[in-house]
Amino acid sequence: MVPSCVNNRFKTCSVLPHIITRIISHLVYSVNSVSSVTYAVSLFFFFGAAAMEGRCAVETWAVGLSGTSCTPRVKFGLGTDVFFCTGSDEVYVFSTQERKLTAVLQFPDPVSDLVGSHDKQLLYVACRSGVYCVSLQFQLSRAPSSPADASSSLAELKIPSEFLVVAEEGVLSVLLVGSVFLTLSQTDTSWMLTLYKSSNYEMLSSFSLPLVSGVVHSDTEGQTAMRKRPVLICVHSNDATPPSSSEATLTDGHVRLESVLFKLLFGIDAALAKSPVILCGLPDGCLCFLPLRHPGSRLRVLRSLEQPVVFVGASVVMERGPGHAQCLVAVGELGKVVLIKTDKGGSEGGGNRTGFIEGCVPGPVMCGCVDKNCLYYSTGSDLLVLDLSEGLSRREGQEKDEETSRKTEAALRSPTSLNVCRVAALAEPTCNTAGEVQLLGLSVRGQLQRITLPAGREDARLSKEPSALVGRSVRDLLSAIGDVCERASVLKTAIKSKNQILRHLNQVLNISFLLIASASSEEHLPIQEKPIRCHGVTSWSRLLQKDSLNLTCVLDNPSPYILERGWTLSVAVFPLSYPPSAGGESSSTNFSFPFHNLHPGETLEVSLPLAAAGEASFPMTVSCSLIFSLASLLGEEAANLPGLQSSCISLPLNTLTVDWLHVLQVNSPIATHKKATSQSNNTTDTLQAFLRSRRIRCSGRGEGGGESASKPEREYSASIRVSSELLRDTLLLKSSDLDAHVQKWPPQNVGLSLLEWMLSEGPGGVTTGHQGDKIALSSSVVHAQGPDGHTVKLTAKEVNVEEGSAEKEESQTAVEVQVESSSIAAVCGLHHAVLRRVQTLLQRAPEKAASTKGVQSLGLRQVLQRAEHLLQQIQQSRISGAFGVGVSTGQMTRSLLSVYRELRENPLLIV
Amino acid sequence: MYLVTFQFAFTSFFQQRGGGDALSPDQNKPHLRWCSSEFHKLLKKIQGIPPLADYLQLELTVVYNVCLCSTAQSQFSEAELLLTQATERVLQMTGDAPVASDPPVFWRTVINSVGDTALNPCVLYLLCLQWAIWLSTCQLKIIQECQLFSVFETLSTGVWDEGRSELREKSSDIPLLVMDPRRLIELLQICTIIAQGAESLSEGRSSEALSGLQTASSLPAPRTLIAYTHLLSGSCLAHMSCPQMALQCYRKALETDSRCVCALYQSMLIYRQLGNTQAEIQGLRLLHSTLMLPFATEPALADTRLLSPSLLLRSQSLSSLLSVPSALSVLHNLALKCVHHGRVSDGVEYYLDLLAVLHSEDQHGVHAEGPPLPSLPELYLQAGAALLMARRPADCMALCDEVITTTLELLPEKVVLAEPEEKCEAETRALCAEGDDRVAMLLWAGAAYLLQGHCHTQLKDWKQAVTHYTRCFNLLVKARFKKGSNADMVGKQGTDLCILQKLKGLSLAGRGISFTQTDQLREALRDLQLSMQAFPECVSAGLWCGEVLWRLGRRWEAAACWEKTWSFTPQFSVESLSVYLQEPQSGPLLDSSELRRRIQELGPPLSA
């Protein structure tokens, strides 16, 4: 009988700590970024002029819709086009020539990566459901041009699923190497690198590498969490001839590495086979490689960064070579920078060896790129540049390894700020005609930016500035200080609001733990013990000649905590059982009442309609819970946490039951009379009464109950016997507790007092709020009207229970409560309600010596036999019902009904 | 009511299967999963009532279908659990007490308790599935203990299927099965025999396996499986040292199923064992061309597709018997065999094919079982040696150049050769691995120079030859022995030390011979004598040393030198050494008969 939804609520609660952790980590992350900015600010003041040189021009080109499911990506595409995706399901095509967005490609799923093929003008886009291949020219030509102006219009293309070429789920990165198309995806336990033929997408082979769980664990907790994209690049040896002359310039994601380093890292075989090598930087920190064209090759780990790899690239570093990269650079998310280069052999053994130089830069690294000798990376709050050659070229003259490595680390630790914030993705740097380095960046908000670094940055820093420029530089300096101040003040308010949220969260947590603890530890506590609870009062009201039942729910907060903004009282009302006509669906009604502040000791009173007369079926379960929406806590920031929008903490309070006794409208003699007259005045009511009586009579006849032929209205009845001794004990005990009831219950009035008690107050926190005063019951017979309009009669009389003939002295008195009505629903409901009350009475009864042990032994056996017989009947009808053979439904119902009645008519004595 | 649901699930299963013939097994998987879950739901409904005789037949049929789907998805433990539950319900119905967990006793009790009622076939179907699960999980012992063959032999003669078809005619209500149990039994029988055969073969009980396999070859079964029985019979015969009969069996296997590559491979191995080189080479060539064929996917076997033979045959011993090396590895073997057995021109072609494949863009590191290919420099050197034998010195030099340029920058200044015992100490293992790499590179580069020297010798460009031999020697002296490495290490086969000494000997011999051609006899004598020290079994060095001595007028010494050289018995067989470490047959040669004549003219040696 326990509503299942209550259990569900408990389940929701167990998710709570998990969600809270996420919020806190989010907050901590933002506080971190704040501190890194303050770090940048202090750096700025320390190195004033030096940092000044790093100021650069930022030009916003276009804005895309920002999404959250994947890390954003920006790439140089075909010709002058730039592709970028912001983590949503759209890919934007921006023409650098026309300086405008030319197309928006919309895919069915969020885009995780994209790669363009230059020769065939194809764009491969990895989505959650697989990889799509789009021919841009074809798509653009097919796109419906807008009637207004075809040239300036933006083509919006929806990419249908027939462009899906590789149906592999969860592809995170893609790469195109010659005629081979590679995808990298993550399964539960491993990384899968799969090779496809790019001509027909036939799978060539697939390699896997077990997942290093330690690092990834923290961010794979939710499907909705932003998935980190592994870095996938292809390394060519510099002496390997390019596959075709047109590909002399390397495409995006391909780097050419100096041959000695290539051989050292990837082996002689790869070099001899002139095989390109795939290099993956995985979010679990592994840097691994795969020679593409070598039989029996497998994914091997080159190095572990022990933090998610954000960027892998190759840099020339030293100008000696003809421009081939001398050095591989890998950057981890937490700022670890690894330079991999050739060490000229010196001391023992001679020959060349692989040298790894590790360093650390401050701040979380969001993205990076590398040019001839600089590493550019963004921490989200700033864009920084790290001169790689500085650390490496100094090594030449050095003798001792330890000393040099220390110096390199020092060099790696002093990046120069460029004062550009919120960069989330970077494309490869280019040089314009003036010799300025240009970066293509994508901001967190989805803005495509071109960042132009001042030319000759290096030289300017070293040489003295001419005096004419001093004035200008002071002006620049001042404006820069202004910028920084503005940023700092914005961050300060952010911190303030975050503190506010944390305080609020603390309150919420306190309340949650209070309620969870009380819910889990002692489920059967009496209602008064609950820290925050609801109780209800039912009342009938008559509006527009229609009776309706209202329930007033009162939320009480005796706890020392404030229920603040964001809490909602939710009340779910649903019938305990439902009529078969309702289609087997339990109709539950939910009411929610958001409220602002509920201080300790205050109460909140809400009123809700339970049912109009004759519509609802009782007993009804009213379950109250407190709901806290996390989205309201974070306000605007909730948008950044996609999973949070729908997540709520739901804390169950208590469950009230409104049963038949609560909803009875007791007819006091006067009231009955009044009602009777008013009914007679009303024609429709009389008509209905008539119809009702007709119907009952008919069904009565069909039933063929012999003894009730003369009195059809009193057709059904059920009774309960309670030992009067018990009643006396419990009810008297109760009255002596309360000072208000001073008068002793006369012993002969036990039945009356039971009735009165049952009607006036109920267990489980619901009381009957009769309009006006308390009904004074004159006799032990109560006539009342049920919610469906049927009259019911409740009789309580004392009877002697005779136990066989042998032991007369054992006979004892009992109160028999008899329920009679013409409606079977009413009888059932009331019987149930009375039983509930008696149950609470029993719970309240003091422990008694087992004096009445032997009582009823004879009767008990009889009753048990009868019950067994009935059980057999029920089983029989269930089996035949299950197979749907033999008996018609009508027959079955009849037999079940008779069993029911038999059960109700001959009650056991409750002692 | 249940029947309706059942029919629905069932027909949808078959509709999909009927319409989805073109679907690949992969695409069929979600459908199978869906069907399985539907059957599961159905089963849950049916098991909600107490077991009654009237409904149990239906229930067991559903259990059969559910378990078959689960087994087809390799969910063996789940299927087994369902079977146990179902049989327990049967026992509950018949009122028998649950029995011991010993499977044979358990199943016998279940079958006995059902007796000869209508439930009997249903229980037997379930036993079939239990059999399939045991087979898939390689529990062959239990299958034997249960004597499943005898159980089903007595029954498969049509007692139950008659009853079934009769029933089906009577009403359409009789529940259908997703796979005909008779087909299932046939499949299980042959698969069991194959698995048992493989097992006993790997345990060395060949004759025992043979009889079972030979009877199995006449059972009704898919071609692939029949071919397996022939193949395994062949392997048994090969173990019993009846190679000719084994070859017959392999031939039969190939005739039955032309894609049974393994039979081809095994017969090649037999020819190799028999020493029939021509047949072996032929076999390798056939094997290679078969492996290069684009394999058609397994044709849809009408009823067995739900439960594929590969699912039932998962034993380790069988898969090791069925494994075939990759096409590249076969090609390499073929090339090597040709070069070793005098078919140099063929060998060269195969080597070039191999290198071309390795360089082609379509080659993408396909995984392969069996022995891995030697590393690329090794292959280059082997191909170079083959080219040299085929008198294509220019091509050989190009290949060697390639090896040299790749390795040159990485060559160490000096390297220490350690004994293999010392190498594998745990703390220095990483260092050793790197060191090994460097030694290997040194040896490759040295061998490449040696081959280039041979090329110049062949071209009679003595000056260049001397240069290259010198380069080789200079490289080799960078390697030092670790102190304490004793002399018998040198004799050990295949060690780096052995290769190093051999290279030294050959390069010195080559240089010595070149010096003789330019009449620098003193240098020639020094080199040839050093060569014989480094590598005593070098025949050309010995002969030429004698020749130089002869020319210098030290005739008795020359005669002794020649006699000593002729007395050498080659310690290594031809195939055990890398091709490029063999003495070149292309340089200036001395005629042995001429030398003997000279000794005779000299008269008997003066006794000392």
Side-chain angles (χ1 to χ4, degrees), chain A residues 883-898:
Chain A
F883 285 104
V885 282
V887 217
S888 75
T889 35
Q891 264 175 319
M892 204 169 75
T893 328
R894 262 199 297 285
S895 71
L896 281 178
L897 185 63
S898 72

Side-chain angles (χ1 to χ4, degrees), chain A residues 544-566:
Chain A
L544 294 174
Q545 298 198 330
K546 235 183 152 182
D547 284 326
S548 62
L549 184 64
N550 286 327
L551 177 73
T552 311
C553 241
V554 184
L555 174 69
D556 205 357
N557 178 18
S559 72
Y561 310 110
I562 314 176
L563 290 167
E564 277 177 306
R565 176 174 59 90

Side-chain angles (χ1 to χ4, degrees), chain A residues 180 263 274 349 352-353 883, chain B residues 55 402 406 409 413 434:
Chain A
V180 184
K263 280 182 271 188
K274 311 223 176 335
N352 293 316
R353 282 168 189 274
F883 285 104
Chain B
Y55 308 113
E402 192 86 341
T406 5
E409 283 161 305
E413 284 302 314
E434 200 190 344

Side-chain angles (χ1 to χ4, degrees), chain A residues 83-105:
Chain A
F83 298 122
F84 66 102
C85 63
T86 52
S88 65
D89 53 359
E90 288 175 345
V91 170
Y92 305 91
V93 184
F94 180 84
S95 164
T96 48
Q97 242 168 9
E98 299 169 55
R99 291 287 169 95
K100 68 179 179 66
L101 279 181
T102 52
V104 178
L105 310 177

Side-chain angles (χ1 to χ4, degrees), chain A residues 870-882:
Chain A
L870 292 177
L871 182 68
Q872 268 175 9
Q873 271 187 24
I874 292 175
Q875 265 188 347
Q876 193 54 51
S877 55
R878 266 191 64 208
I879 289 175
S880 57

Side-chain angles (χ1 to χ4, degrees), chain A residues 179-180 195 204-207 243 259-260 263-264 268-269 271-274 292-297 349-353 882-883, chain B residues 1 49 55 328 358-361 363-367 373 375-377 380 402 405-407 409-414 434 438 441:
Chain A
S179 63
V180 184
L195 274 59
L204 291 169
S205 55
S206 146
F207 305 88
S259 65
V260 176
K263 280 182 271 188
L264 278 173
I268 294 279
D269 282 357
L272 258 185
K274 311 223 176 335
L292 201 57
R293 278 186 220 138
H294 185 61
S297 61
N352 293 316
R353 282 168 189 274
F883 285 104
Chain B
M1 185 165 63
I49 56 163
Y55 308 113
L328 282 179
L358 287 173
H359 274 271
S360 79
E361 282 198 31
Q363 210 276 314
H364 298 296
V366 187
H367 285 292
L373 274 180
S375 60
L376 268 185
Y380 269 61
E402 192 86 341
T405 46
T406 5
T407 50
E409 283 161 305
L410 304 179
L411 289 180
E413 284 302 314
K414 65 181 181 200
E434 200 190 344
R438 288 153 162 269
M441 261 187 284

